[in-house]
């Protein structure tokens, strides 16, 4: 039984194979009944548009069915049931579970109690492996990932998409440039681990410092829901913004990615720019998640 809890569950070949499969799927080369008769349980205890709907869309396109719980209030966890018991029960109703939860480590715990494969769709400030796979897929559509220069911008402390992506990029000898408001830097343990794996990471004060050098600008939202209080959020809110004027200094092949939702960190005028790839990126969630679902359920 294969769970997908962290991007660290994959080596580079496994990632490349999965993304090659997703590319075949995107070309419509797949069996639309591959998962007929299979059921995916969607346990989302945090808001989601893209991740949840693209998993459900992926399941439907493969002929399978999804069952979902959209909040703690809507299920027996509101009565005090533990996550462990909920997962034990739900794994009797489905062939795989995709879970999103506000606590780091929740998906790993779910996997311990589940009798079917578990996919982590975001555990607090931890990991978001399916997002990383579609991020890499989107980069590959523009350039080979090997040796690229990537700027990670924004909330690198609480942003799980940044954590998973940074780990994956270390497999491709990418160089990382980080730009974040004070206090929202990449966690020291993760940075140390990446450096130990040989990754070069450079911290910068402003995006202007790196805009002419990088191949990917990976922009993230400040994760307001993970702040202890609203004052500490408003201290850092709106402290960075990608504009067409900033992109005027970029390399021709630079792409701008964002896991979305965006708040105000990318000027809507950037949407028209040839550098903008974030809406393609969110569309890529479907073929990539189709490949993931086939991998764990076939
Ligand atoms: C991200 C998440 O949930 O971590 N969203 C997503 O899945 N595309 C990013 C975010 O919420 O900022």
């Amino acid at each position: 039984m294969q769970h997908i809890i962290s991007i660290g569950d994959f080596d580079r070949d496994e990632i490349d194979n999965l993304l090659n499969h997703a590319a075949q799927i995107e070309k419509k080369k797949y069996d639309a009944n591959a998962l007929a008769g299979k059921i995916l349980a969607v346990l989302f205890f945090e808001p989601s548009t893209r991740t949840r709907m693209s998993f459900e869309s992926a399941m439907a396109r493969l002929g399978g069915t999804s069952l979902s719980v959209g909040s703690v209030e809507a299920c027996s966890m509101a009565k005090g049931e533990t996550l462990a018991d909920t997962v034990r029960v739900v794994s009797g109703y489905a062939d795989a579970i995709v879970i999103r939860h506000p606590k780091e480590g929740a998906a790993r715990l779910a996997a311990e109690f589940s009798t079917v494969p578990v996919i982590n769709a975001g555990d607090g400030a931890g990991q978001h492996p399916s997002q990383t796979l579609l991020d890499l897929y989107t980069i590959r559509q523009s350039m080979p990932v090997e040796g690229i220069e990537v700027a990670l911008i924004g909330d690198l402390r609480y942003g799980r998409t940044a954590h998973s992506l940074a780990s994956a990029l270390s497999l491709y000898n990418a160089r990382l440039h980080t730009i974040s408001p004070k206090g929202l830097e990449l966690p020291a343990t993760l940075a140390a681990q990446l450096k130990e794996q040989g990754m070069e990471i450079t911290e910068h004060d402003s995006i202007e410092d790196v805009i002419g050098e990088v191949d990917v600008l990976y922009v993230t939202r400040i994760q307001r829901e993970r702040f202890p209080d609203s004052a500490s959020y408003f201290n850092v809110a709106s402290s960075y913004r990608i504009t067409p004027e900033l992109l005027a200094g970029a390399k021709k092949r630079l792409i701008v990615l964002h896991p979305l939702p965006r708040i105000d960190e990318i000027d809507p005028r950037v949407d028209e720019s040839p550098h903008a790839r974030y809406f393609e990126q969110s569309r890529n969630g479907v073929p990539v998640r189709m490949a993931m679902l086939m991998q764990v359920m076939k």
Side-chain angles (χ1 to χ4, degrees):
M1 181 166 65
Q2 190 200 357
H3 303 294
I4 301 177
I5 306 302
S6 150
I7 197 69
D9 296 340
F10 294 88
D11 63 24
R12 180 170 163 165
D13 281 347
E14 289 166 339
I15 293 177
D16 290 339
N17 289 339
L18 190 141
L19 300 185
N20 291 342
H21 185 197
Q24 292 302 308
I25 292 171
E26 197 186 354
K27 289 189 203 133
K28 307 262 184 278
K29 291 188 189 146
Y30 66 90
D31 170 9
N33 286 312
L35 296 182
K38 301 277 186 190
I39 298 175
L40 177 70
V42 179
L43 288 181
F44 270 43
F45 302 115
E46 264 194 351
S48 172
T49 304
R50 276 150 288 274
T51 306
R52 176 172 176 169
M53 294 189 76
S54 62
F55 265 116
E56 291 182 353
S57 168
M59 198 59 192
R61 290 199 187 285
L62 293 168
T65 311
S66 308
L67 302 175
S68 64
V69 149
S71 65
V72 168
E73 294 71 36
C75 71
S76 284
M77 283 173 69
K79 301 177 185 169
E81 187 168 53
T82 61
L83 180 62
D85 279 1
T86 302
V87 165
R88 270 192 186 111
V89 168
V90 170
S91 58
Y93 302 154
D95 300 290
I97 295 174
V98 51
I99 182 168
R100 171 172 285 190
H101 194 281
K103 288 224 171 71
E104 209 170 317
R108 177 97 42 214
L109 181 122
E112 269 173 44
F113 292 93
S114 175
T115 55
V116 297
V118 171
I119 299 177
N120 180 8
D123 61 323
Q127 283 266 325
H128 195 345
S130 65
Q131 179 70 44
T132 295
L133 293 167
L134 73 91
D135 295 342
L136 294 172
Y137 184 82
T138 310
I139 296 172
R140 277 189 6 162
Q141 289 179 322
S142 296
M143 65 191 90
V145 186
E146 175 66 28
I148 55 172
E149 307 248 349
V150 178
L152 287 183
I153 298 162
D155 184 349
L156 310 183
R157 175 178 182 180
Y158 297 117
R160 55 197 175 199
T161 62
H163 301 162
S164 296
L165 181 61
S167 297
L169 287 170
S170 76
L171 303 175
Y172 293 87
N173 308 305
R175 276 181 60 182
L176 217 56
H177 301 270
T178 61
I179 300 111
S180 46
K182 230 182 158 25
L184 299 182
E185 294 86 2
L186 210 59
T189 45
L190 176 60
Q193 188 192 325
L194 296 172
K195 285 179 184 163
E196 209 167 283
Q197 290 163 16
M199 194 177 211
E200 249 185 78
I201 309 179
T202 318
E203 272 188 60
H204 303 271
D205 293 332
S206 76
I207 307 168
E208 283 78 1
D209 294 348
V210 292
I211 189 68
E213 287 173 47
V214 295
D215 304 300
V216 176
L217 274 189
Y218 193 88
V219 190
T220 64
R221 170 181 74 89
I222 296 190
Q223 308 285 295
R224 180 177 189 168
E225 64 276 33
R226 315 226 185 277
F227 278 65
D229 52 67
S230 56
S232 49
Y233 168 72
F234 285 111
N235 273 336
V236 287
S238 306
S239 54
Y240 53 96
R241 186 171 171 88
I242 309 301
T243 61
E245 292 73 25
L246 174 83
L247 294 177
K251 278 188 188 173
K252 190 161 182 276
R253 77 164 184 173
L254 170 116
I255 59 171
V256 181
L257 300 181
H258 191 308
L260 303 177
R262 72 172 149 186
I263 310 304
D264 56 5
E265 55 281 350
I266 300 181
D267 186 322
R269 290 177 303 148
V270 172
D271 302 357
E272 306 309 321
S273 147
H275 299 292
R277 288 290 193 295
Y278 30 91
F279 290 115
E280 280 98 325
Q281 184 186 358
S282 69
R283 260 201 308 280
N284 289 337
V286 177
V288 170
R289 290 180 170 121
M290 286 168 76
M292 294 177 75
L293 291 172
M294 288 217 248
Q295 180 164 324
V296 302
M297 273 186 276
K298 280 290 268 189

